[in-house]
């Protein structure tokens, strides 16, 4: 390399132009071995914005005629002017961005293209909400947007405020599961890995600015196709963080692959910044804690009583209503209980029609017929909760144990934690005061992390008529988050590849378990699957058409899933069938006492913003920056100021005194002052309470996006 550098210096001295060109080519070549592969940064990345109105000065693509399925013209054009034709159709005059050609096209046949080096000024339009959490609980937010632009938007609302980012990015399988620059990346693309790295690097660099550098974690799931390159990218992007990879079984039976071992796991990277570290927890089986029958020995803090009565009044004749059969499966689980047997009727007269079940009676050691301590209904309810344990299987004389009401109160009061379950369904407990908390190992094989049972099947239960490919297990995401946010009841969690909305669902579960007020920001686009696109295009539809957009991920899956989780009702309005499992078991139809608001990202004109003509689209950003809580101030207040539960807005600085008084009485933490005069802004700040954070509009907004957007195009 040093010899080449000397030759370049010589070339520059003899021919500056040639030297500069050689140096540029040399730099490109040296980058192509980055990460051990043929590498290019593939810049600039660009995305089509079908819902964005076409304006003069925009960069656009010309769409193919309606009804055609072939890919459209990818030539990039600049809109030079827009006029109305004789037939009333709006026509755009176009000039090639790179070239000398000019053209005309109907505005309706154009789609705006945003390159990531361009400045963008985001806004939000609310598209719905669901409220069950009360006025004081923060809102989860779902944002329909290209995620790089959404991250740039969050750099204004949440810089250094995010406690945890959980993402499940595209795995780059080559199976039309991921687009780069508006085109699917195929498996035979020589640059598929460098495209994926460029795609991820841009987003991770912005995400780094959102995380709290003092104490936060980035969690990324991935499979074997990109885990090596992702690991190097994470080390490069987060040089001061501690990075560890965990292997997690997500399909115990495995998925067969010709020429390979069957795949049963995936990988989870934990990027821990500052003081962030996994918390010790009472672990379920599979995290390095194996629950067996021996677990409930002398170390078990729970006392298990025999279910059959001992001492006085212990015979069948003493309580005939407590003499009935209990049916166990081969694992020892209680399946059902029969009705009490009338006096005088022999137990041999009661047969079991299912040969896989064992019929158990309350027989004493001497063979006499005794009686149970619980009625059949109570017995079945306790077994469902894990409060019934089975001894060694011994036919109709099998010993059965249960927890007394006093032991159950220890669990309900928090003195005893449930840390696992035996094969018979009975709980394994540990005392909270001196129980053994553990940090798990890097090998996870947890039954609840099965993506088929607790991802695909669960989603099908919640939304029976809708499908989403490969959703995560709800409990797998919940567990990964718990290790880092359990002691942060007000944590902000971000998922900018939110897909079906599992992360938001998991955050709601965590809140229910401890009364937390954590909020999740979910970002996803409204992409329609490749197979569905073909049929829609044949029908003459395009992205941006309502009939097209209704099938997109955000509108068809993410928003309905979050709504369904909160309300406990399917999109059709029916109660969700089934129960949540593990740690916190309750009917899914109960829903959650949570709030959620749904938004679509917009692209605003800086001129309109400076003239205070885009307040309605900027308003949700102000609300999110203040904590996404309480009322959203949607209009420029007529009296010149307004104060909601979490923030205030002053639009007329001559009303500053009344505004400051209202702010002091309300206790809000953030205020926005609209003025282009620095001295008047400082005068307003002097009137505000010391614990209030003032923000100047629209200076702070415009400066943020003029500095940030495009600043990472080299990444």
């Amino acid at each position: 390399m040093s010899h080449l550098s000397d030759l370049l210096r010589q070339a520059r001295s003899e021919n500056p132009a040639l030297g500069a060109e050689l140096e540029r080519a040399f730099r490109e070549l040296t980058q192509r071995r980055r990460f051990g592969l043929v590498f290019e940064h593939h810049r600039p990345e660009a995305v089509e914005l079908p819902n964005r109105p076409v304006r003069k000065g925009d960069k656009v693509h010309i769409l193919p005629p309606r009804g055609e399925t072939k890919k459209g013209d990818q030539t990039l054009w600049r809109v030079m002017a827009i006029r109305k034709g004789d037939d009333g159709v709006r026509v755009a005059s176009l000039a090639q961005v790179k070239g000398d050609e000019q053209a005309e096209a109907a505005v309706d046949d154009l789609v705006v293209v945003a390159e990531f080096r361009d400045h963008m000024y985001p806004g939000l339009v609310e598209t719905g909400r669901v409220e069950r959490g009360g006025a004081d609980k923060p809102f989860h937010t779902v944002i329909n947007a290209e995620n790089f632009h959404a991250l740039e938007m969050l750099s204004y609302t949440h810089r250094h405020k995010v406690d945890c980012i959980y993402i499940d990015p595209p795995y780059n399988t080559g199976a039309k599961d991921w687009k780069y620059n508006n085109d699917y990346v195929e498996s035979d693309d020589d640059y598929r890995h460098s495209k994926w790295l460029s795609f991820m690097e841009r987003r991770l660099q912005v995400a780094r600015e959102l995380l709290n550098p003092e104490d936060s974690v980035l969690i990324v799931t991935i499979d074997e196709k990109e885990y090596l390159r992702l690991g190097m990218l994470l080390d490069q992007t987060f040089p001061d963080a501690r990075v560890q990879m965990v292997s997690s079984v997500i399909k115990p039976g495995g998925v067969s692959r010709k020429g390979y071992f069957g795949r049963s796991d995936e990988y989870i990277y934990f990027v821990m910044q500052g003081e962030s570290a996994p918390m010790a927890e009472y672990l379920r089986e599979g995290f390095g804690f194996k629950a067996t029958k021996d677990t409930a020995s002398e170390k078990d803090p729970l006392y298990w009583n025999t279910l059959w009565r001992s001492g006085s009044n212990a015979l069948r004749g003493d309580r005939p209503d407590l003499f009935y059969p209990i049916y166990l499966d081969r694992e020892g689980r209680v399946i059902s209980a029969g009705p009490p047997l009338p006096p005088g009727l022999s137990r041999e007269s009661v047969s079991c029609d299912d040969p896989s079940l064992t019929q158990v009676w309350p027989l004493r050691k001497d063979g006499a017929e005794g009686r149970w301590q619980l009625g059949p209904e109570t017995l079945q309810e306790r077994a469902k909760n894990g409060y019934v344990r089975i001894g060694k299987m011994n036919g109709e004389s099998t010993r059965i144990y249960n927890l007394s009401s006093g032991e159950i109160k220890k669990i309900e009061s928090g003195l005893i934690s449930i840390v696992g379950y035996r094969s018979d369904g009975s709980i394994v407990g540990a005392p909270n005061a001196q129980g053994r908390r553990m940090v798990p190992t890097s090998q996870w094989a947890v039954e609840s992390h099965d993506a088929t049972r607790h991802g695909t099947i669960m989603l099908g239960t919640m939304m029976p008529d809708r499908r989403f490919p490969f959703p995560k297990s709800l409990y797998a995401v919940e567990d990964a988050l718990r290790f880092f946010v359990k002691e942060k009841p007000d944590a902000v969690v971000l998922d900018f590849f939110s897909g079906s909305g599992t992360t938001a669902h998991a955050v709601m579960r965590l809140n229910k378990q401890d009364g937390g007020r954590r909020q999740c920001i979910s970002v996803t686009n409204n992409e329609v699957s490749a197979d569905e696109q073909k049929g829609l295009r044949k029908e003459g539809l395009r992205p941006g058409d309502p009939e097209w957009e209704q099938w997109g991920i955000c509108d068809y899956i993410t928003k309905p899933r979050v709504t369904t989780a909160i309300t406990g009702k399917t999109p059709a309005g029916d109660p969700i069938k089934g129960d949540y499992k593990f740690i916190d078991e309750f009917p899914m139809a109960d829903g959650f006492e949570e709030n959620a608001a749904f938004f679509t990202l917009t692209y605003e004109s800086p001129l309109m913003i400076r003239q205070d003509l885009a307040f309605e689209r900027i308003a949700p950003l102000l609300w999110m920056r203040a904590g996404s809580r309480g009322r959203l101030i949607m209009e420029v207040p007529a009296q010149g100021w307004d104060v909601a539960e979490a923030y205030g807005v002053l639009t007329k600085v001559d009303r500053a005194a009344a505004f400051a008084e209202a702010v002091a009485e309300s206790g809000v933490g953030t205020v926005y002052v609209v003025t282009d005069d620095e001295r008047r802004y400082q005068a307003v700040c002097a009137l505000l309470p010391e614990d209030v954070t003032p923000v100047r509009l629209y200076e702070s907004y415009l400066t943020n996006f003029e500095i940030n957007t495009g600043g990472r195009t080299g990444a």
Side-chain angles (χ1 to χ4, degrees):
M1 289 294 182
S2 60
H3 180 58
L4 284 173
S5 297
D6 290 337
L7 292 175
L8 286 171
R9 280 195 295 269
Q10 182 179 346
R12 282 198 304 270
S13 64
E14 295 179 4
N15 188 328
L18 176 61
E21 185 66 15
L22 288 171
E23 190 169 16
R24 182 193 62 78
F26 173 70
R27 282 198 305 269
E28 291 183 356
L29 287 171
T30 56
Q31 289 181 342
R32 292 190 179 194
R33 294 301 301 169
R34 192 176 179 188
F35 300 115
L37 50 87
V38 179
F39 186 88
E40 287 187 2
H41 269 122
H42 301 280
R43 53 184 177 185
E45 189 178 344
V47 62
E48 292 183 349
L49 308 174
N51 292 304
R52 159 79 153 74
V54 177
R55 305 168 181 151
K56 179 181 177 181
D58 284 341
K59 284 177 279 192
V60 297
H61 285 157
I62 300 176
L63 296 169
R66 289 185 180 271
E68 290 191 7
T69 58
K70 67 179 182 180
K71 184 178 178 181
D73 179 13
Q74 294 301 293
T75 302
L76 198 59
W77 302 88
R78 176 84 65 184
V79 178
M80 307 306 294
I82 297 177
R83 60 179 175 81
K84 185 174 290 187
D86 295 337
D87 54 0
V89 175
R90 296 173 70 231
V91 176
S93 300
L94 308 174
Q96 271 187 329
V97 173
K98 294 182 179 179
D100 300 325
E101 291 188 29
Q102 296 185 350
E104 285 193 343
V107 171
D108 288 344
D109 290 332
L110 303 176
V111 60
V112 175
V113 176
E115 295 183 286
F116 286 5
R117 63 186 177 188
D118 298 337
H119 291 301
M120 55 85 68
Y121 301 90
L124 293 173
V125 171
E126 185 173 333
T127 57
R129 62 173 53 200
V130 55
E131 300 180 68
R132 290 191 71 201
D136 193 51
K137 199 162 190 179
F139 281 70
H140 304 284
T141 50
V142 178
I143 302 172
N144 174 7
E146 200 294 318
N147 59 11
F148 179 82
H149 290 158
L151 287 170
E152 289 283 358
M153 180 206 75
L154 292 171
S155 71
Y156 178 68
T157 63
H158 285 79
R159 184 180 297 275
H160 300 328
K161 292 181 180 180
V162 175
D163 298 287
C164 174
I165 294 178
Y166 182 104
I167 54 173
D168 181 37
Y171 285 6
N172 199 14
T173 65
K176 291 190 181 298
D177 62 337
W178 170 56
K179 278 185 174 182
Y180 186 86
N181 275 351
N182 309 304
D183 200 8
Y184 289 108
V185 179
E186 305 288 351
S187 59
D188 59 355
D189 188 329
D190 290 338
Y191 288 92
R192 58 184 284 215
H193 296 299
S194 64
K195 287 179 178 178
W196 188 86
L197 285 167
S198 297
F199 171 87
M200 289 297 297
E201 186 178 28
R202 292 185 181 102
R203 288 153 180 80
L204 290 175
Q205 285 184 336
V206 189
R208 181 184 60 199
E209 299 301 312
L210 303 180
L211 288 166
N212 174 6
E214 304 299 324
D215 182 4
S216 63
V217 63
L218 165 69
I219 305 172
V220 190
T221 59
I222 200 68
D223 73 359
E224 72 274 13
K225 294 178 181 61
E226 295 291 1
Y227 82 101
L228 290 170
R229 284 168 282 272
L230 175 62
M232 289 188 286
L233 177 60
L234 292 173
D235 281 336
Q236 172 184 293
T237 308
F238 298 88
D240 298 325
R242 301 182 316 285
V243 181
Q244 186 174 16
M245 188 182 79
V246 164
S247 176
S248 177
V249 175
I250 61 169
K251 192 159 183 77
V255 177
S256 60
R257 295 180 174 182
K258 186 176 181 180
Y260 297 89
F261 293 108
R263 174 175 172 260
S264 62
D265 63 352
E266 67 179 11
Y267 310 108
I268 311 174
Y269 276 105
F270 293 89
V271 183
M272 297 164 279
Q273 296 204 118
E275 298 181 0
S276 179
M279 293 182 55
E281 273 289 310
Y282 295 111
L283 301 178
R284 301 196 305 282
E285 182 175 358
F287 282 114
F289 173 91
K290 186 172 178 58
T292 66
K293 290 181 180 179
D294 293 335
T295 305
S297 59
E298 68 279 0
K299 295 182 180 180
D300 193 330
L302 296 168
Y303 180 75
W304 296 87
N305 288 308
T306 55
L307 186 61
W308 51 266
R309 174 79 176 183
S310 61
S312 60
N313 299 315
L315 297 177
R316 173 182 177 181
D318 296 323
R319 287 291 302 272
D321 59 324
L322 295 179
F323 185 76
Y324 57 88
I326 297 174
Y327 297 95
L328 310 177
D329 65 12
R330 292 190 175 94
E331 296 295 323
R333 293 179 179 271
V334 175
I335 300 302
S336 63
L341 199 63
L345 193 63
S346 171
R347 70 177 188 275
E348 280 77 15
S349 66
V350 181
S351 61
C352 180
D353 297 330
D354 188 342
S356 68
L357 299 181
T358 297
Q359 188 182 67
V360 182
W361 295 91
L363 303 180
R364 299 174 64 82
K365 292 181 180 180
D366 60 2
E369 293 180 337
R371 56 100 168 177
W372 303 118
Q373 297 198 65
L374 303 175
E377 293 81 8
T378 304
L379 177 280
Q380 292 180 92
E381 181 65 25
R382 290 197 179 182
K384 178 182 177 181
N385 292 329
Y387 300 156
V388 175
R389 183 165 70 87
I390 309 303
K392 183 178 180 179
M393 295 290 284
N394 187 27
E396 69 172 3
S397 299
T398 299
R399 289 295 184 94
I400 301 179
Y401 304 85
N402 82 111
L403 296 178
S404 67
S405 58
E407 296 297 281
I408 293 173
K409 286 181 179 178
K410 292 179 182 179
I411 298 170
E412 294 176 343
S413 67
L415 291 176
I416 301 294
S417 288
I418 298 174
V419 297
Y421 293 85
R422 300 175 183 81
S423 59
D424 62 4
S426 61
I427 65 170
V428 177
N432 277 337
Q434 66 270 15
R436 187 183 180 193
R437 292 177 180 266
M438 299 171 60
V439 174
T441 71
S442 58
Q443 297 289 316
W444 296 359
V446 187
E447 188 276 331
S448 61
H449 294 186
D450 185 332
T452 300
R453 292 180 59 191
H454 307 299
T456 302
I457 294 176
M458 175 181 284
L459 195 60
T461 300
M462 297 176 66
M463 301 190 294
D465 60 337
R466 308 184 188 207
R467 296 292 179 267
F468 182 82
F470 312 118
K472 294 291 183 193
S473 161
L474 171 64
Y475 309 113
V477 179
E478 177 185 324
D479 285 339
L481 296 174
R482 182 183 290 105
F483 288 118
F484 294 91
V485 302
K486 182 176 181 180
E487 297 301 319
K488 297 179 178 180
D490 296 300
V492 176
V493 179
L494 168 64
D495 182 351
F496 54 90
F497 289 101
S498 66
S500 69
T502 306
T503 304
H505 197 167
V507 172
M508 295 180 202
R509 281 260 306 172
L510 292 172
N511 282 344
K512 184 178 185 300
Q513 290 162 22
D514 61 10
R517 293 162 43 85
R518 303 172 188 88
Q519 58 176 287
C520 182
I521 303 170
S522 303
V523 179
T524 187
N525 60 25
N526 209 37
E527 183 73 25
V528 175
S529 71
D531 292 338
E532 290 175 326
Q533 284 189 32
K534 290 181 180 178
L536 294 174
R537 290 188 187 279
K538 288 180 180 178
E539 294 177 14
L541 299 173
R542 290 171 172 167
D545 294 338
E547 299 87 351
W548 177 294
E549 296 296 322
Q550 66 179 334
W551 303 108
I553 294 173
C554 187
D555 288 347
Y556 191 62
I557 299 293
T558 318
K559 295 196 305 188
R561 195 260 181 87
V562 172
T563 301
T564 293
I566 294 175
T567 63
K569 296 181 179 180
T570 69
D574 302 317
I576 306 173
K577 298 178 181 179
D579 299 331
Y580 289 109
K581 306 294 183 182
F582 314 105
I583 297 181
D584 190 17
E585 300 188 7
F586 61 95
M588 296 178 73
D590 287 357
F592 296 94
E593 294 181 355
E594 300 282 345
N595 302 319
F598 310 123
F599 299 96
T600 295
L601 186 76
T602 63
Y603 297 82
E604 302 301 321
S605 161
L607 179 61
M608 297 287 285
I609 293 169
R610 287 191 179 94
Q611 295 178 351
D612 201 17
L613 297 177
F615 183 87
E616 184 176 347
R617 273 94 63 199
I618 304 301
L621 276 68
L622 310 183
W623 175 75
M624 288 185 66
R625 181 166 173 159
S628 303
R629 179 174 60 85
R631 179 169 60 89
L632 200 166
I633 301 173
M634 283 298 298
E635 298 179 350
V636 176
Q639 66 175 353
W641 60 269
D642 194 359
V643 177
E645 290 83 353
Y647 69 109
V649 176
L650 175 68
T651 57
K652 296 180 180 179
V653 292
D654 59 349
R655 302 301 308 277
F659 174 68
E661 183 178 346
V663 167
E665 292 177 355
S666 67
V668 301
T670 304
V671 299
Y672 301 95
V673 181
V674 180
T675 179
D676 57 2
D677 189 318
E678 176 64 21
R679 288 180 300 177
R680 301 189 75 182
Y681 171 68
Q682 293 299 333
V684 172
C685 292
L687 298 174
L688 297 170
E690 292 184 358
D691 58 347
V692 171
T693 301
V695 179
R696 181 180 166 195
L697 291 181
Y698 292 95
E699 185 65 27
S700 65
Y701 171 94
L702 293 168
T703 301
N704 181 85
F705 296 109
E706 286 167 359
I707 291 176
N708 288 333
T709 308
R712 302 179 182 89
T713 56

